[in-house]
Amino acid sequence: MIRLVVNGKQMQFDGDPDMPLLWYLREDAKLKGTKFGCGIGQCGACTVHANGAALRSCTAPMSALDGADIKTIEGLATGDKLHPVQEAWIDEDAPQCGYCQAGQIMATAELLQRIPDPSDKDIDDNISNLCRCGSYYRIRKAIHRAAKTIQGRE
Amino acid sequence: MVKNIGRREFVKVSLIGGSLVASIPLTSCMDTDALPAATSNTAGNRNLGVFVRINPDNTTTIGAPTAEMGQGTFTSMPMIIAEELDADWARTDVALMPLSLRRVSDGDDVSDAGYEGVDYAHAYQGAGGSGSVKRNFSYLRKAGAQVRSRLVRAAANRLSVPVEELRTENSYVIHDATDQTVAYGELAEAAVALADVDSVELKHASEFRILGKYQKIKGCREIVTGAMTFGQDCELPDMLHAVLIRSPYFKGTPLSFDDVATRAVPGVLDVIRIDRQWPDDAHDGEVLLHGAVAVVAETLWAALKGRSALKVEWDRGPFADESTEMVEAECRELLDGRISSEADRRTEGDVDTALLNAERVIEADYAIKPLAHVCMEPHSAIADMRDGQRRILAAHQFPERAAHCAAKICGCDPMDVRVETARMGGGFGRKFAPDYLSEAIWLSHRLQKPVKVTWTRDDDIQQDAFNRPGMSRLRAGLDENNNVVAWDHTIAGHTTQSDNFPADVVPNFRVRYLRSNTGMWFGPWRGPGHNTIGFVIQSFIDELALATGRDPLEFRLAMLGEERALPFQGWGADVYDTGRAANVLKLAAEKGDWRGRGELPPGRGRGIASHFTFGSYCAHVVDVRVSEGELEILRVVSAIDCGQAINKLGIEAQIQGGAIDGLSAALHQAIHVRNGQVVERNFDTYRMMRIDQTPRHMETHIVDSDANPSGTGEVGLPPVIPALTNAIYAATGKRIRSLPIADQLKA
């Protein structure tokens, strides 16, 4: 039996321990906001937070997650109050198709915890999620905007 | 006082059949009973026509008839309706509409999607060719104006005032003389009972309050909170999951398979052979099945695990030896040895004589590799083909194809198939083909259960409908004044769209197509054909300009000549306007400081290029820095003329996104074939640009225009690749003549 916390909720899993966290979240927990993009940890569409760190959930087997505290895109806002990264994404009108954006947002939220005011170089070095629509230009603007919002609040 | 709101355009409108059935789903496709069987006059009905529902709280729900894939039609199409409806846009939400078909017969006006006696019932619901707005603009305006007319008449009845004394604004009907206002929400139920009028007046562009402005996308909150439903997120109760192992060889089919280990995986229910079914020159509504073996299971994970244990022997088909080297060698051989008039696709004037008499002939070869689509969302489809259900949920660009495939596989009427399109995680032309729909329909029909087929990234790349590769040999003849008098373009391989500039402006013009042999399957890829021919043509023009010592911008403007509208012979537009083409070049040059390029420091370069795609004109100025073989793309300045702008924020997104997508393709992307199989399988070998290579500065300038709107989704991509490679030449003196650029700058 694997026990983990997902978005603050205690969960139990006794299925195939080889199954990646991604499929547990999407198919078992019905948290469909975390997306499947590649299955090899290359694209980042499946990014969640595990114990506060960004994790590409498509390559993380359930067997490695006993006791883990998982946060998905559905758990990023506080009730109706959006996380500043989510707000910045709306303000910059960043998404096009939107499929990769949950992963982009989760990666960014974690980056801003480590580096509250990232330079462009910090963004280049830390955000590697793929987007085929080509929304990167607005994503960069949204990251800077979210950083400013968070700094202003502190 | 009656305020004249000046509806100058008076248009006869004909909405199909006169009686409109509301079909906007009330909730997402996750809910099984999303579709109300609406009737026109039941109590509580607030659906006004096909597209609009006015809610009691005076908010508006508008249906988006075309599936969203990132191109922005989920926002732009409802904007068009809301404009003529005078709805409060800030209090308007949007729902994706299901497919709606009508029966057609000989002599009826039928769209290019009409097939097997049916066509779209109202709006054109297919998404392709950057055509959603272009095809639907006029129709959706009339639809919005019809709803407004009903609300105004309902208000006139309630207030006992003449219709002519009423005006509308932000979801209110206003009677200025008596200072009375009535919310649309209070009028909706009365308006439902009113009939449409024979004709409605439409606004003049100067009166637009919603169109032509910078509007954020609808549904963004759902996207950023993970609540938006994409195709992969859809479910039906009791559905089974299927994943397929498809022939890794082009046109192969399964010979035999060993499924002992697969069936031992808990949750696996069945293993089913699917023979290849792929008619040559198939119509777009035809059933297309890859030769495959399907693993059907209770859960997706069981199906995936079962598939990895499956062993299949393949009939490798006729292309088992194909390799990239072989195909490219054949193209070179075709260009060197077998050019003849039999290959003529288009010829004007006398190219051979003009080349003989030319002062100077310049020649160059260009080469392009196949590209994969790699939509961020791998394909999926859900079908429930049981009698009485006949339902498909899928993210697809042309929903009627699902209905046609179902009709063919089940022997039913396409009108009896309920098709709901989910939001697509990218489409780019790949979600145009019905292969993944066919798989779900075929399996559901056979198993008589709802079935969801899910593709993985490997499936997606291996079984792609690739962007067409090719080699181009170009010869241009210049006269003593360095004017281009002859243009001779021979294409070996599969590149298309050669009707573009400089067709029709060079007096002696010829294009020849020499098709090479391949088992590869090709399909539309963002800006089909344009995406690579733009690179070929606009790079070669740069070569001509520089070889004759002329400025690349001035050279292009001289080639375009005086402003005139030329009949366009290619697909997707009727007219090529040299004035509009010149204008975007000048605008991009001005905003991108083209004149200042001489002052750039060593290692820096600035390039310019333009292209005409599906009726829209786009030009980019790209700045690069190349240092010890390392390329940095610094800036992209763009100019776009897409006629009447619908959503400027969306246009900017499409032009910048298209530019980034094109740069990504140019830098790294290529599909290779070895031993009859696609080599690349995932993003580790099929490399896409990430944020670190994205230009730090981008700006988009939109030409103010009242011309009919044309598209933007594919328009930004074709000219950006040559603008980049022209900039690289300016920086380094190295002419990029084959894509991808890859390591060419390191040599």
Side-chain angles (χ1 to χ4, degrees):
Chain A
M1 182 71 74
I2 292 158
R3 288 169 216 279
L4 67 170
V5 174
V6 179
N7 297 335
K9 245 169 90 178
Q10 189 69 50
M11 312 287 265
Q12 294 184 348
F13 175 75
D14 60 359
D16 184 350
D18 294 342
M19 183 166 78
L21 173 63
L22 170 67
W23 299 123
Y24 170 76
L25 293 171
R26 288 182 54 80
E27 300 292 320
D28 290 19
K30 302 292 179 197
L31 293 167
K32 305 262 188 183
T34 304
K35 302 302 187 202
F36 166 57
C38 69
I40 60 169
Q42 278 281 327
C43 78
C46 65
T47 304
V48 299
H49 298 173
N51 303 321
L55 174 74
R56 292 188 171 175
S57 64
C58 70
T59 52
M62 289 303 286
S63 59
L65 293 163
D66 194 26
D69 185 355
I70 305 295
K71 186 182 276 187
T72 72
I73 187 74
E74 289 91 345
L76 191 62
T78 309
D80 282 345
K81 177 96 188 104
L82 295 182
H83 187 281
V85 175
Q86 292 170 312
E87 281 176 357
W89 248 247
I90 292 173
D91 290 341
E92 292 294 345
D93 204 42
Q96 292 185 27
C97 85
Y99 192 80
C100 73
Q101 301 295 353
Q104 306 271 10
I105 288 168
M106 293 306 282
T108 299
E110 193 258 6
L111 169 67
L112 296 183
Q113 279 177 16
R114 282 188 289 123
I115 308 175
D117 189 14
S119 65
D120 281 327
K121 172 93 172 37
D122 292 329
I123 293 170
D124 290 346
D125 291 346
N126 286 280
I127 301 294
S128 60
N129 294 37
L130 290 176
C131 168
R132 202 206 138 174
C133 296
S135 65
Y136 298 129
Y137 185 71
R138 287 189 183 173
I139 286 177
R140 186 187 296 279
K141 283 167 56 176
I143 295 171
H144 286 307
R145 179 190 279 262
K148 279 198 185 70
T149 307
I150 294 169
Q151 304 253 292
R153 281 178 192 173
E154 276 163 3
Chain B
M1 188 187 75
V2 179
K3 202 166 175 184
N4 181 3
I5 58 166
R7 295 180 168 248
R8 294 180 196 106
E9 202 180 341
F10 194 73
V11 187
K12 179 97 177 159
V13 66
S14 161
L15 292 174
I16 307 306
S19 69
L20 301 176
V21 179
S23 56
I24 301 169
L26 292 161
T27 49
S28 79
C29 66
M30 293 280 282
D31 295 291
T32 51
D33 295 316
L35 292 178
T39 53
S40 55
N41 288 319
T42 51
N45 180 25
R46 312 183 69 87
N47 291 306
L48 291 161
V50 177
F51 301 99
V52 176
R53 183 168 61 240
I54 308 283
N55 303 307
D57 62 356
N58 207 28
T59 59
T60 306
T61 302
I62 300 185
T66 308
E68 174 68 51
M69 55 181 157
Q71 85 280 42
T73 53
F74 188 72
T75 305
S76 60
M77 309 269 277
M79 280 173 68
I80 298 167
I81 295 171
E83 179 66 65
E84 293 292 346
L85 172 60
D86 270 337
D88 182 348
W89 183 245
R91 302 188 72 220
T92 297
D93 63 7
V94 176
L96 264 184
M97 295 174 77
L99 173 67
S100 183
L101 293 173
R102 73 186 156 115
R103 194 91 60 197
V104 294
S105 46
D106 288 349
D108 287 357
D109 198 10
V110 178
S111 80
D112 61 4
Y115 180 56
E116 303 279 4
V118 298
D119 195 10
Y120 299 126
H122 41 79
Y124 188 101
Q125 294 194 267
S130 295
S132 295
V133 164
K134 180 167 62 181
R135 286 169 172 134
N136 289 302
F137 181 61
S138 174
Y139 181 86
L140 295 181
R141 291 180 75 188
K142 291 172 196 168
Q146 281 285 5
V147 177
R148 177 189 172 276
S149 161
R150 285 209 224 177
L151 292 160
V152 170
R153 281 178 282 139
N157 290 342
R158 175 186 286 210
L159 301 176
S160 301
V161 298
V163 163
E164 294 71 30
E165 292 182 7
L166 295 169
R167 64 183 179 91
T168 52
E169 195 175 317
N170 274 339
S171 294
Y172 286 90
V173 183
I174 300 163
H175 188 241
D176 287 312
T178 57
D179 206 18
Q180 293 183 88
T181 61
V182 190
Y184 282 3
E186 293 173 47
L187 297 165
E189 286 185 50
V192 166
L194 300 176
D196 282 336
V197 287
D198 287 342
S199 54
V200 284
E201 288 175 85
L202 302 179
K203 289 183 184 177
H204 188 271
S206 62
E207 297 165 321
F208 288 161
R209 295 178 181 135
I210 298 169
L211 300 185
K213 310 288 189 287
Y214 288 79
Q215 308 282 6
K216 288 178 183 167
I217 58 166
K218 290 290 184 184
C220 199
R221 188 182 173 98
E222 289 74 19
I223 290 171
V224 304
T225 54
M228 179 62 79
T229 303
F230 291 84
Q232 287 259 9
D233 305 331
C234 293
E235 294 188 348
L236 283 179
D238 304 320
M239 69 180 189
L240 303 179
H241 286 271
V243 295
L244 280 66
I245 182 163
R246 298 171 189 80
S247 171
Y249 303 95
F250 300 134
K251 305 188 180 182
T253 204
L255 270 181
S256 63
F257 57 89
D258 172 358
D259 61 3
V260 174
T262 299
R263 287 182 183 274
V265 173
V268 169
L269 300 172
D270 210 345
V271 181
I272 301 170
R273 170 197 175 116
I274 303 177
D275 288 320
R276 180 180 163 81
Q277 182 178 335
W278 207 285
D280 288 336
D281 300 320
H283 181 274
D284 298 329
E286 194 62 77
V287 175
L288 296 183
L289 290 168
H290 301 269
V293 180
V295 177
V296 182
E298 289 168 353
T299 66
L300 176 56
W301 177 243
L304 287 167
K305 208 166 182 184
R307 182 175 76 162
S308 64
L310 189 63
K311 295 185 189 74
V312 185
E313 288 293 320
W314 299 100
D315 172 346
R316 299 180 180 197
F319 298 95
D321 299 328
E322 183 165 328
S323 69
T324 300
E325 293 71 22
M326 220 168 88
V327 170
E328 292 185 348
E330 190 198 354
C331 287
R332 273 190 293 273
E333 199 181 298
L334 286 167
L335 286 177
D336 288 340
R338 284 194 249 152
I339 298 176
S340 77
S341 59
E342 281 172 32
D344 281 4
R345 186 180 172 279
R346 178 174 170 170
T347 179
E348 277 118 35
D350 183 344
V351 172
D352 291 321
T353 304
L355 284 170
L356 267 177
N357 295 336
E359 184 71 20
R360 197 168 167 192
V361 174
I362 295 174
E363 190 171 323
D365 286 359
Y366 283 80
I368 287 143
K369 290 229 168 11
L371 299 170
H373 287 81
V374 290
C375 308
M376 289 314 299
E377 179 188 31
H379 319 310
S380 71
I382 302 175
D384 184 353
M385 288 298 114
R386 291 174 293 177
D387 284 344
Q389 296 293 328
R390 297 276 155 75
R391 178 171 188 203
I392 295 157
L393 288 179
H396 197 268
Q397 293 175 233
F398 284 82
E400 80 284 1
R401 290 184 193 167
H404 288 304
C405 288
K408 290 195 166 136
I409 288 171
C410 304
C412 68
D413 186 336
M415 299 276 288
D416 292 338
V417 183
R418 181 165 136 194
V419 182
E420 288 152 83
T421 43
R423 190 185 186 94
M424 287 171 267
F428 306 107
R430 177 60 180 88
K431 287 170 183 166
F432 169 97
D435 54 337
Y436 60 97
L437 303 174
S438 300
E439 291 173 346
I441 294 164
W442 190 92
L443 283 165
S444 174
H445 179 60
R446 171 168 170 143
L447 296 166
Q448 286 297 301
K449 291 255 172 63
V451 176
K452 179 176 185 178
V453 169
T454 301
W455 286 44
T456 59
R457 180 60 60 198
D458 294 37
D459 299 336
D460 168 56
I461 294 183
Q462 296 268 300
Q463 310 293 336
D464 201 12
F466 297 99
N467 194 47
R468 295 163 189 272
M471 288 192 189
S472 281
R473 177 154 297 166
L474 290 139
R475 289 192 299 163
L478 298 138
D479 68 11
E480 62 280 7
N481 297 318
N482 287 327
N483 296 312
V484 182
V485 291
W487 182 277
D488 191 16
H489 186 177
T490 303
I491 295 169
H494 298 272
T495 311
T496 60
Q497 304 292 1
S498 52
D499 290 311
N500 238 285
F501 173 85
D504 303 307
V505 304
V506 175
N508 303 289
F509 181 87
R510 180 167 64 197
V511 177
R512 287 169 161 171
Y513 283 0
L514 299 159
R515 293 310 190 204
S516 56
N517 195 34
T518 177
M520 204 175 243
W521 175 37
F522 301 122
W525 189 105
R526 197 175 198 168
H530 295 288
N531 46 33
T532 53
I533 203 116
F535 159 68
V536 171
I537 291 171
Q538 291 286 322
S539 298
F540 188 56
I541 287 174
D542 221 58
E543 294 203 54
L544 300 181
L546 296 168
T548 56
R550 295 175 68 180
D551 173 86
L553 170 65
E554 297 305 324
F555 189 76
R556 282 174 171 82
L557 295 175
M559 282 184 80
L560 285 166
E562 62 184 27
E563 289 185 19
R564 64 207 187 280
L566 298 168
F568 184 68
Q569 294 188 29
W571 187 88
D574 299 325
V575 167
Y576 179 69
D577 187 316
T578 57
R580 293 174 73 182
N583 186 43
V584 292
L585 274 165
K586 288 181 201 161
L587 182 59
E590 180 207 326
K591 302 292 184 183
D593 190 21
W594 176 250
R595 285 190 182 176
R597 73 195 182 287
E599 289 139 41
L600 294 173
R604 290 274 302 272
R606 186 166 290 162
I608 191 166
S610 69
H611 194 78
F612 176 67
T613 310
F614 300 145
S616 292
Y617 305 79
C618 182
H620 301 288
V621 169
V622 170
D623 276 32
V624 301
R625 174 163 46 219
V626 183
S627 163
E628 293 173 7
E630 290 295 328
L631 169 67
E632 217 182 323
I633 306 166
L634 303 170
R635 189 183 71 156
V636 177
V637 176
S638 313
I640 164 79
D641 177 356
C642 54
Q644 166 69 50
I646 303 299
N647 179 6
K648 288 188 171 173
L649 202 55
I651 293 168
E652 184 191 276
Q654 292 309 306
I655 298 309
Q656 292 177 354
I660 289 170
D661 197 18
L663 297 173
S664 174
L667 288 180
H668 310 296
Q669 293 175 28
I671 287 292
H672 298 84
V673 178
R674 196 180 302 139
N675 300 323
Q677 300 179 57
V678 174
V679 173
E680 289 77 14
R681 284 167 189 263
N682 210 318
F683 294 123
D684 50 347
T685 47
Y686 193 77
R687 284 179 60 202
M688 296 179 65
M689 195 161 97
R690 299 177 194 262
I691 202 167
D692 60 340
Q693 290 184 300
T694 302
R696 295 273 177 86
H697 185 92
M698 300 186 88
E699 57 184 71
T700 301
H701 301 275
I702 302 165
V703 174
D704 277 323
S705 168
D706 55 8
N708 285 332
S710 44
T712 58
E714 299 166 90
V715 178
L717 192 148
V720 82
I721 301 176
L724 169 67
T725 54
N726 293 343
I728 290 172
Y729 183 84
T732 65
K734 164 94 181 160
R735 175 61 61 184
I736 300 293
R737 293 200 186 90
S738 71
L739 294 179
I741 296 165
D743 293 332
Q744 292 182 61
L745 297 175
K746 299 215 162 66

